[in-house]
Structures are given as structure tokens and as C-alpha cells.
Amino acid sequence: MKVLYFMNHVDSGGAALALYDLIKELKESCPDVKAIVITGCHNQLNEAFSKIGIENYSAPFKNFSGSYRQPKFLWKSILQIRYRISKPTAIKKIEKLIDFTTIDIIHSNLNRIDIGYYFAQKYRIKHLWHIREHGDDDFLLMPVFSSYNPILTDSSSTFIAISKSVKSKWLSLGIPEQNIRLIYDGIGTSHWTKNETIVKKSKLSFIFLGGYHVNKGQEIFIQALSLLPKNIKDDILVHFFGNGSIGYKKKLERLIQKKKLNKFCNLYDYNPDIYKTLSQYHIGVNCSKAEGFGRITVEYMMAGLCPLVSNTGANVEIIDNQINGLMFDRDNLFDIMDKIIFLYTNRDFITDFSKKATKKAISSFSMKAHAQLIYDLYKQNLN
């Protein structure tokens, strides 16, 4: 079974990691799957695939939906021109690299790209299309052209939604229900070390992973931290890790300065090896407006951290409130503050939530189980 995967130009973040982990697991557990990967530009993802012996290439195709920018009319015009100029070049290059008569399935890893759909239509190949975002609710996506609907309502694609929340959103955009499958993402379990720090005797440490973006909620969480009593501020650590807008990161740095949180609150760049140190923290924070899946939340769980998450998006599907984590009202700074104070003063709950979180992550969100479900879907489509 030969599967051709398409991913855009991004080589960090949840979608890129999910693709890498899936293909790596399929190579190990489903040896009849022959993977070929094409990215929107040569990057670290290509290098990572080369290291594990996966055939991969790059071609200059662009997203057919992008993040909202103002002025909208101007940016849509720029994106349309870029899309139209790059697509013929990308198609020509890909058709020189790939013998499509040997491809059984095309798997598009992201809802922002339609190059896989193009080739699936042209060569009459089965097409699977991962939907990893809510669209306008999380990253304020806008179609480069007028609408998604001509592609979404085409029954030739099988869509994979990574959460019930994402599935519901895209059903409302026009995908027929019979064309969409719910398959939660998976996380590799082999490299996580369990949290062994002593919660009761050390400063309470929080980690907040995710790109620096207004809808990820870093600003909201910092505002809530500023409301904490001084004695708690003096006894906690909060570390943010991510990439994204430099301007937004600087805004967060100014906010930390203004609120005088520098002694315990720090911003860091994206760290691809964060899994090596993640278990040193006690609490993992997710404050997203509309998380598509919440890979970082599951990573917290795998590493034995206590999840502290907003009650929005897919967070409510992953965390069982007050059983294997704690939820807060994202729109209520005082509720976030109260939840932090609760965990600070009731540290036995941190230990209890953490153990149950790890158990659920391994049983429900392992990459091995995820890869098997994807493999089964491949076979169903071929049959």
C-alpha cells in the first residue's frame, strides 16, 4: 500500500508532529505501508523523515486558506496571486517526482492545503483529508478564494476530524456527515518520563506550551497570574514555550513587566526537545479559545503533569474535570486565579490528577492506537 502524504511549509507545532509520529508508527507496526511525503518547502520535517528512511520531497505549493489579516481585501489578493503562481510550478515538479499510477491513497495532513485534492481528482485516487482546526474560531482562517464549499461537499474525499468539536464545526461548513470520521490524534508514549518532582516540598511549577497567538490565551493567563496573592507569586514558577508572532511575544513581555511578574514568569522560544524536561514541571496549562485536539494537553498527561485547561474546544473531550485535571472558565480571570490557588493549597490533588491523567493518555491517546485506526481507514477506502 503506497500512501502519498502532503504537508504545507510548517515544520513545527501539532500538525507537523502528528504527521511525523503517525508515519514513524506506521513504518514500525504496518510495514506494508510505503510512505512518501511532500512538503510545501524543504525544512526540518524533511530532514527528520530522511533520518528514519522515509522518502520525501518538497514543492512550492501554497495554502488555499490562511490566517486572517487586515486589510482583508489586500491580503486575499496577495494570497490568491501567490497561490496561482506557485501551483503550476508545484504540480510540474511533483509529477516529475511521483509516478501516480503506483499511488493507492493520497493523505492531506492539513485542512489548509488542497494540492492533495487536486492530484486525487486528476488521477482518480482515494483521498483522505485531515481537519485539525476549527477554522475561524481558533486561527481565524479565511479561504484564499470565496468559499470552502465546492471542495467540502465533494464526496470523493474522506475527512478525518481530530475531535468531536472539530467535526461539529466542519459539518456546519458543509461536509456531509457520511464523509467525515472522528479519529483522535495520538501521541508517542516511548520518550516520556513520568513526573517525579516532589510536589509538596518544592516551588509549584507551571508550563504553558503553544504558539504565541492571541487565541492560545497566554495573555489571559498572565492577567490571571497578576491577581494572585503575593505569597503565592513568591512560591511558583511559570514558563511559556512557543513560536509565532514576534510582535505578540513582545506584547506579552511588556505585560509581564507591567504586572511585575518577572521573578517567576518567563517566555522562551519553541523547544523541539521539550519532552526531555517536561516532567520537571508540576502543572501543564492550556488556555486556548478553541483547541482542535490539544496535543500539548496530552503531552502534559503523558509526562505525568496535572492538566489545568480552559473549558473550551476539545479540552472538554480530553480532560475529565476534577478527575484527571482541572478546568477553568476562560472568560473569567478570577476563576482561573481560584483554580491556581486551589492547586497551590491542595497539592495532593495535583498528584492524584496527574496519575489519572497519565493513565487516560496511555489508554486513549497513544500513537499506536491512532495509527491502527488510520491504517484501518486506509483499508476501508481501498476496499
Side-chain angles (χ1 to χ4, degrees), residues 175-228:
I175 296 180
E177 187 156 11
Q178 65 269 22
N179 292 351
I180 190 166
R181 305 289 185 272
L182 169 64
I183 300 179
Y184 288 109
D185 266 350
I187 307 293
T189 59
S190 60
H191 56 247
W192 297 105
T193 56
K194 189 177 178 182
N195 189 330
E196 295 180 354
T197 56
I198 301 173
V199 177
K200 290 186 178 182
K201 295 183 180 180
S202 55
K203 280 193 173 185
L204 198 62
S205 57
F206 297 74
I207 186 168
F208 191 130
L209 299 177
Y212 292 116
H213 187 281
V214 63
N215 285 343
K216 288 296 185 181
Q218 289 96 345
E219 185 175 356
I220 291 173
F221 196 71
I222 291 169
Q223 293 281 10
L225 290 171
S226 71
L227 302 175
L228 291 169

Side-chain angles (χ1 to χ4, degrees), residues 217-361:
Q218 289 96 345
E219 185 175 356
I220 291 173
F221 196 71
I222 291 169
Q223 293 281 10
L225 290 171
S226 71
L227 302 175
L228 291 169
K230 184 179 183 303
N231 68 304
I232 294 181
K233 289 180 183 177
D234 291 340
D235 200 32
I236 64 173
L237 295 172
V238 183
H239 293 167
F240 296 82
F241 289 86
N243 54 16
S245 168
I246 296 175
Y248 186 66
K249 185 180 178 184
K250 288 183 177 179
K251 179 182 179 180
L252 296 176
E253 289 172 343
R254 290 193 297 269
L255 179 61
I256 291 171
Q257 292 275 356
K258 180 182 177 181
K259 298 295 184 179
K260 299 179 180 179
L261 307 177
N262 312 65
K263 289 184 179 180
F264 70 91
C265 192
N266 299 100
L267 304 181
Y268 299 98
D269 292 334
Y270 172 77
N271 180 1
D273 295 322
I274 193 64
Y275 67 89
K276 295 179 180 178
T277 56
L278 189 56
S279 62
Q280 296 175 10
Y281 295 87
H282 301 123
I283 297 168
V285 181
N286 184 327
C287 192
S288 290
K289 179 182 178 182
E291 195 71 74
F293 169 63
R295 179 185 176 91
I296 61 169
T297 301
V298 179
E299 289 177 344
Y300 298 151
M301 297 164 76
M302 288 284 188
L305 277 65
C306 170
L308 177 63
V309 304
S310 56
N311 59 349
T312 55
N315 287 341
V316 300
E317 301 172 46
I318 294 174
I319 297 301
D320 305 296
N321 192 29
Q322 299 183 43
I323 297 175
N324 47 43
L326 202 59
M327 288 186 188
F328 55 78
D329 181 353
R330 189 177 187 271
D331 297 324
N332 186 337
L333 293 178
F334 289 96
D335 186 54
I336 302 173
M337 177 197 71
D338 287 342
K339 296 302 191 296
I340 295 172
I341 293 173
F342 174 82
L343 291 173
Y344 178 83
T345 56
N346 297 276
R347 300 198 181 195
D348 286 341
F349 280 94
I350 297 175
T351 303
D352 185 49
F353 292 163
S354 299
K355 290 179 179 178
K356 292 176 180 176
T358 301
K359 185 176 180 180
K360 181 173 182 180

Side-chain angles (χ1 to χ4, degrees), residues 104-108 114-130 149-160 174-176 178-181 377 380-382:
D104 298 299
I105 289 173
I106 293 175
H107 186 157
S108 296
D114 65 346
I115 191 76
Y117 174 80
Y118 167 83
F119 284 117
Q121 291 290 298
K122 181 174 182 179
Y123 293 101
R124 299 182 180 276
I125 299 170
K126 293 290 185 179
H127 183 223
L128 274 66
W129 205 337
H130 244 110
N149 284 341
I151 291 177
L152 297 181
T153 55
D154 187 334
S155 61
S156 63
S157 296
T158 298
F159 297 90
I160 305 169
I175 296 180
Q178 65 269 22
N179 292 351
I180 190 166
R181 305 289 185 272
L377 188 58
Q380 290 170 21
N381 274 261
L382 290 179

Side-chain angles (χ1 to χ4, degrees), residues 4-9 37-41 57-65 82-95 98 100 105-129 145 151 157:
L4 178 62
Y5 297 87
F6 283 98
M7 176 60 186
N8 69 355
H9 61 284
V37 181
I38 301 181
T39 62
C41 72
Y57 308 99
S58 62
F61 58 88
K62 304 300 181 185
N63 293 344
F64 88 115
S65 67
R82 189 178 72 164
Y83 175 94
R84 287 191 168 118
I85 290 175
S86 64
K87 190 170 184 178
T89 304
I91 290 171
K92 185 176 180 180
K93 180 177 182 180
I94 292 168
E95 288 184 326
I98 305 298
F100 281 92
I105 289 173
I106 293 175
H107 186 157
S108 296
N109 187 56
L110 196 63
N111 44 276
R112 299 190 184 206
I113 53 175
D114 65 346
I115 191 76
Y117 174 80
Y118 167 83
F119 284 117
Q121 291 290 298
K122 181 174 182 179
Y123 293 101
R124 299 182 180 276
I125 299 170
K126 293 290 185 179
H127 183 223
L128 274 66
W129 205 337
F145 299 98
I151 291 177
S157 296

